[in-house]
mmCIF file of all heavy atoms in Angstrom:
data_model
loop_
_atom_site.group_PDB
_atom_site.id
_atom_site.type_symbol
_atom_site.label_atom_id
_atom_site.label_comp_id
_atom_site.label_asym_id
_atom_site.label_seq_id
_atom_site.Cartn_x
_atom_site.Cartn_y
_atom_site.Cartn_z
ATOM 1 N N SER A 284 99.683 65.940 97.379
ATOM 2 C CA SER A 284 99.225 65.518 98.693
ATOM 3 C C SER A 284 99.956 64.249 99.134
ATOM 4 O O SER A 284 99.791 63.180 98.544
ATOM 5 C CB SER A 284 97.714 65.270 98.675
ATOM 6 O OG SER A 284 97.273 64.827 99.938
ATOM 7 N N THR A 285 100.749 64.372 100.202
ATOM 8 C CA THR A 285 101.507 63.223 100.694
ATOM 9 C C THR A 285 100.611 62.153 101.300
ATOM 10 O O THR A 285 101.028 61.007 101.457
ATOM 11 C CB THR A 285 102.528 63.681 101.754
ATOM 12 O OG1 THR A 285 101.842 64.398 102.780
ATOM 13 C CG2 THR A 285 103.564 64.603 101.135
ATOM 14 N N LYS A 286 99.373 62.528 101.647
ATOM 15 C CA LYS A 286 98.476 61.548 102.261
ATOM 16 C C LYS A 286 97.987 60.502 101.258
ATOM 17 O O LYS A 286 97.458 59.461 101.649
ATOM 18 C CB LYS A 286 97.271 62.236 102.919
ATOM 19 C CG LYS A 286 96.326 62.937 101.963
ATOM 20 C CD LYS A 286 95.156 63.578 102.694
ATOM 21 C CE LYS A 286 95.533 64.780 103.500
ATOM 22 N NZ LYS A 286 95.882 65.968 102.692
ATOM 23 N N LEU A 287 98.178 60.750 99.949
ATOM 24 C CA LEU A 287 97.722 59.797 98.939
ATOM 25 C C LEU A 287 98.364 58.430 99.134
ATOM 26 O O LEU A 287 97.721 57.391 98.938
ATOM 27 C CB LEU A 287 98.013 60.329 97.536
ATOM 28 C CG LEU A 287 97.598 59.422 96.374
ATOM 29 C CD1 LEU A 287 96.099 59.110 96.408
ATOM 30 C CD2 LEU A 287 97.963 60.052 95.030
ATOM 31 N N ALA A 288 99.637 58.396 99.528
ATOM 32 C CA ALA A 288 100.320 57.115 99.740
ATOM 33 C C ALA A 288 99.618 56.300 100.813
ATOM 34 O O ALA A 288 99.391 55.094 100.648
ATOM 35 C CB ALA A 288 101.776 57.360 100.131
ATOM 36 N N GLU A 289 99.249 56.946 101.916
ATOM 37 C CA GLU A 289 98.563 56.244 103.006
ATOM 38 C C GLU A 289 97.172 55.787 102.557
ATOM 39 O O GLU A 289 96.730 54.685 102.906
ATOM 40 C CB GLU A 289 98.469 57.164 104.221
ATOM 41 C CG GLU A 289 99.836 57.529 104.789
ATOM 42 C CD GLU A 289 99.766 58.646 105.811
ATOM 43 O OE1 GLU A 289 98.676 59.240 105.961
ATOM 44 O OE2 GLU A 289 100.787 58.923 106.458
ATOM 45 N N TYR A 290 96.490 56.629 101.807
ATOM 46 C CA TYR A 290 95.171 56.261 101.288
ATOM 47 C C TYR A 290 95.268 54.987 100.429
ATOM 48 O O TYR A 290 94.457 54.063 100.561
ATOM 49 C CB TYR A 290 94.614 57.394 100.428
ATOM 50 C CG TYR A 290 93.969 58.535 101.185
ATOM 51 C CD1 TYR A 290 94.223 58.759 102.537
ATOM 52 C CD2 TYR A 290 93.099 59.412 100.535
ATOM 53 C CE1 TYR A 290 93.639 59.812 103.214
ATOM 54 C CE2 TYR A 290 92.505 60.464 101.212
ATOM 55 C CZ TYR A 290 92.777 60.666 102.548
ATOM 56 O OH TYR A 290 92.187 61.713 103.209
ATOM 57 N N LEU A 291 96.269 54.950 99.547
ATOM 58 C CA LEU A 291 96.407 53.813 98.641
ATOM 59 C C LEU A 291 96.709 52.523 99.402
ATOM 60 O O LEU A 291 96.187 51.458 99.070
ATOM 61 C CB LEU A 291 97.511 54.089 97.619
ATOM 62 C CG LEU A 291 97.223 55.185 96.585
ATOM 63 C CD1 LEU A 291 98.480 55.501 95.788
ATOM 64 C CD2 LEU A 291 96.092 54.760 95.654
ATOM 65 N N VAL A 292 97.560 52.621 100.408
ATOM 66 C CA VAL A 292 97.925 51.445 101.187
ATOM 67 C C VAL A 292 96.722 50.871 101.934
ATOM 68 O O VAL A 292 96.609 49.659 102.119
ATOM 69 C CB VAL A 292 99.062 51.796 102.184
ATOM 70 C CG1 VAL A 292 99.294 50.654 103.169
ATOM 71 C CG2 VAL A 292 100.355 52.085 101.421
ATOM 72 N N SER A 293 95.792 51.724 102.345
ATOM 73 C CA SER A 293 94.648 51.271 103.142
ATOM 74 C C SER A 293 93.719 50.330 102.380
ATOM 75 O O SER A 293 93.014 49.522 102.986
ATOM 76 C CB SER A 293 93.851 52.483 103.633
ATOM 77 O OG SER A 293 93.094 53.066 102.572
ATOM 78 N N GLY A 294 93.695 50.440 101.042
ATOM 79 C CA GLY A 294 92.786 49.608 100.255
ATOM 80 C C GLY A 294 91.364 50.122 100.213
ATOM 81 O O GLY A 294 90.480 49.495 99.608
ATOM 82 N N VAL A 295 91.096 51.269 100.836
ATOM 83 C CA VAL A 295 89.754 51.857 100.842
ATOM 84 C C VAL A 295 89.570 52.664 99.552
ATOM 85 O O VAL A 295 90.505 53.336 99.105
ATOM 86 C CB VAL A 295 89.576 52.775 102.079
ATOM 87 C CG1 VAL A 295 88.219 53.467 102.056
ATOM 88 C CG2 VAL A 295 89.738 51.957 103.352
ATOM 89 N N PRO A 296 88.368 52.637 98.930
ATOM 90 C CA PRO A 296 88.128 53.443 97.723
ATOM 91 C C PRO A 296 88.423 54.926 97.967
ATOM 92 O O PRO A 296 88.191 55.450 99.061
ATOM 93 C CB PRO A 296 86.641 53.221 97.443
ATOM 94 C CG PRO A 296 86.333 51.903 98.061
ATOM 95 C CD PRO A 296 87.199 51.813 99.283
ATOM 96 N N ILE A 297 88.955 55.585 96.933
ATOM 97 C CA ILE A 297 89.357 56.984 97.046
ATOM 98 C C ILE A 297 88.606 57.826 96.022
ATOM 99 O O ILE A 297 88.522 57.475 94.850
ATOM 100 C CB ILE A 297 90.873 57.147 96.807
ATOM 101 C CG1 ILE A 297 91.670 56.247 97.755
ATOM 102 C CG2 ILE A 297 91.297 58.601 96.969
ATOM 103 C CD1 ILE A 297 93.151 56.158 97.392
ATOM 104 N N LEU A 298 88.064 58.956 96.488
ATOM 105 C CA LEU A 298 87.455 59.947 95.611
ATOM 106 C C LEU A 298 88.382 61.155 95.607
ATOM 107 O O LEU A 298 88.612 61.760 96.647
ATOM 108 C CB LEU A 298 86.064 60.340 96.114
ATOM 109 C CG LEU A 298 85.330 61.423 95.318
ATOM 110 C CD1 LEU A 298 84.999 60.926 93.909
ATOM 111 C CD2 LEU A 298 84.060 61.856 96.046
ATOM 112 N N LEU A 299 88.935 61.514 94.441
ATOM 113 C CA LEU A 299 89.895 62.603 94.393
ATOM 114 C C LEU A 299 89.729 63.413 93.125
ATOM 115 O O LEU A 299 89.109 62.957 92.159
ATOM 116 C CB LEU A 299 91.319 62.084 94.514
ATOM 117 C CG LEU A 299 92.008 61.439 93.317
ATOM 118 C CD1 LEU A 299 93.494 61.272 93.603
ATOM 119 C CD2 LEU A 299 91.408 60.084 92.976
ATOM 120 N N THR A 300 90.267 64.617 93.137
ATOM 121 C CA THR A 300 90.207 65.492 91.978
ATOM 122 C C THR A 300 91.461 65.316 91.125
ATOM 123 O O THR A 300 92.501 64.876 91.604
ATOM 124 C CB THR A 300 90.086 66.962 92.427
ATOM 125 O OG1 THR A 300 91.085 67.233 93.413
ATOM 126 C CG2 THR A 300 88.715 67.237 93.021
ATOM 127 N N ASP A 301 91.344 65.688 89.864
ATOM 128 C CA ASP A 301 92.449 65.547 88.914
ATOM 129 C C ASP A 301 93.356 66.771 89.007
ATOM 130 O O ASP A 301 93.294 67.694 88.188
ATOM 131 C CB ASP A 301 91.881 65.393 87.501
ATOM 132 C CG ASP A 301 92.981 65.266 86.452
ATOM 133 O OD1 ASP A 301 94.145 65.077 86.845
ATOM 134 O OD2 ASP A 301 92.667 65.367 85.244
ATOM 135 N N VAL A 302 94.201 66.810 90.043
ATOM 136 C CA VAL A 302 95.164 67.890 90.203
ATOM 137 C C VAL A 302 96.550 67.293 90.404
ATOM 138 O O VAL A 302 96.690 66.153 90.844
ATOM 139 C CB VAL A 302 94.816 68.811 91.398
ATOM 140 C CG1 VAL A 302 93.503 69.523 91.167
ATOM 141 C CG2 VAL A 302 94.790 68.041 92.702
ATOM 142 N N SER A 303 97.560 68.068 90.043
ATOM 143 C CA SER A 303 98.952 67.665 90.208
ATOM 144 C C SER A 303 99.201 66.295 89.572
ATOM 145 O O SER A 303 98.751 66.031 88.460
ATOM 146 C CB SER A 303 99.329 67.668 91.698
ATOM 147 O OG SER A 303 100.701 67.415 91.880
ATOM 148 N N ASP A 304 99.893 65.396 90.288
ATOM 149 C CA ASP A 304 100.287 64.102 89.734
ATOM 150 C C ASP A 304 99.339 62.971 90.115
ATOM 151 O O ASP A 304 99.695 61.797 89.972
ATOM 152 C CB ASP A 304 101.699 63.735 90.225
ATOM 153 C CG ASP A 304 102.772 64.596 89.597
ATOM 154 O OD1 ASP A 304 102.456 65.366 88.667
ATOM 155 O OD2 ASP A 304 103.935 64.513 90.031
ATOM 156 N N ASN A 305 98.154 63.294 90.620
ATOM 157 C CA ASN A 305 97.248 62.251 91.116
ATOM 158 C C ASN A 305 97.007 61.139 90.105
ATOM 159 O O ASN A 305 97.073 59.949 90.433
ATOM 160 C CB ASN A 305 95.905 62.864 91.527
ATOM 161 C CG ASN A 305 95.979 63.587 92.860
ATOM 162 O OD1 ASN A 305 96.955 63.446 93.589
ATOM 163 N ND2 ASN A 305 94.971 64.363 93.174
ATOM 164 N N LEU A 306 96.727 61.514 88.861
ATOM 165 C CA LEU A 306 96.377 60.504 87.860
ATOM 166 C C LEU A 306 97.597 59.824 87.242
ATOM 167 O O LEU A 306 97.458 58.977 86.369
ATOM 168 C CB LEU A 306 95.487 61.115 86.775
ATOM 169 C CG LEU A 306 94.119 61.614 87.273
ATOM 170 C CD1 LEU A 306 93.211 61.958 86.087
ATOM 171 C CD2 LEU A 306 93.441 60.577 88.162
ATOM 172 N N TYR A 307 98.815 60.187 87.695
ATOM 173 C CA TYR A 307 99.996 59.414 87.312
ATOM 174 C C TYR A 307 100.001 58.061 88.030
ATOM 175 O O TYR A 307 100.632 57.118 87.590
ATOM 176 C CB TYR A 307 101.282 60.162 87.658
ATOM 177 C CG TYR A 307 101.598 61.349 86.790
ATOM 178 C CD1 TYR A 307 100.743 61.757 85.767
ATOM 179 C CD2 TYR A 307 102.768 62.069 86.972
ATOM 180 C CE1 TYR A 307 101.030 62.851 84.979
ATOM 181 C CE2 TYR A 307 103.077 63.172 86.183
ATOM 182 C CZ TYR A 307 102.190 63.554 85.189
ATOM 183 O OH TYR A 307 102.503 64.643 84.407
ATOM 184 N N TYR A 308 99.307 58.016 89.157
ATOM 185 C CA TYR A 308 99.320 56.821 90.004
ATOM 186 C C TYR A 308 97.991 56.094 90.025
ATOM 187 O O TYR A 308 97.907 54.973 90.527
ATOM 188 C CB TYR A 308 99.720 57.212 91.430
ATOM 189 C CG TYR A 308 101.030 57.947 91.478
ATOM 190 C CD1 TYR A 308 101.073 59.336 91.480
ATOM 191 C CD2 TYR A 308 102.233 57.263 91.486
ATOM 192 C CE1 TYR A 308 102.282 60.023 91.493
ATOM 193 C CE2 TYR A 308 103.449 57.932 91.484
ATOM 194 C CZ TYR A 308 103.473 59.309 91.500
ATOM 195 O OH TYR A 308 104.667 59.974 91.499
ATOM 196 N N LEU A 309 96.957 56.715 89.505
ATOM 197 C CA LEU A 309 95.630 56.105 89.530
ATOM 198 C C LEU A 309 94.989 56.191 88.143
ATOM 199 O O LEU A 309 95.135 57.182 87.426
ATOM 200 C CB LEU A 309 94.728 56.836 90.529
ATOM 201 C CG LEU A 309 95.183 56.773 91.999
ATOM 202 C CD1 LEU A 309 94.413 57.787 92.816
ATOM 203 C CD2 LEU A 309 94.980 55.386 92.544
ATOM 204 N N THR A 310 94.261 55.144 87.766
ATOM 205 C CA THR A 310 93.533 55.133 86.510
ATOM 206 C C THR A 310 92.053 55.364 86.817
ATOM 207 O O THR A 310 91.430 54.550 87.488
ATOM 208 C CB THR A 310 93.715 53.793 85.781
ATOM 209 O OG1 THR A 310 95.112 53.547 85.631
ATOM 210 C CG2 THR A 310 93.031 53.800 84.422
ATOM 211 N N PRO A 311 91.467 56.461 86.328
ATOM 212 C CA PRO A 311 90.108 56.823 86.748
ATOM 213 C C PRO A 311 88.995 55.895 86.262
ATOM 214 O O PRO A 311 87.913 55.901 86.820
ATOM 215 C CB PRO A 311 89.925 58.222 86.150
ATOM 216 C CG PRO A 311 90.893 58.279 85.012
ATOM 217 C CD PRO A 311 92.064 57.454 85.437
ATOM 218 N N ASP A 312 89.250 55.076 85.236
ATOM 219 C CA ASP A 312 88.171 54.244 84.714
ATOM 220 C C ASP A 312 88.168 52.833 85.311
ATOM 221 O O ASP A 312 87.479 51.950 84.820
ATOM 222 C CB ASP A 312 88.249 54.163 83.175
ATOM 223 C CG ASP A 312 89.572 53.586 82.682
ATOM 224 O OD1 ASP A 312 90.491 53.438 83.520
ATOM 225 O OD2 ASP A 312 89.675 53.284 81.484
#
Side-chain angles (χ1 to χ4, degrees):
S284 178
T285 55
K286 66 179 71 71
L287 179 58
E289 296 169 352
Y290 279 19
L291 291 171
V292 170
S293 74
V295 176
I297 305 169
L298 177 66
L299 77 168
T300 49
D301 179 12
V302 296
S303 186
D304 289 352
N305 284 348
L306 296 191
Y307 288 2
Y308 305 95
L309 297 167
T310 305
D312 59 350

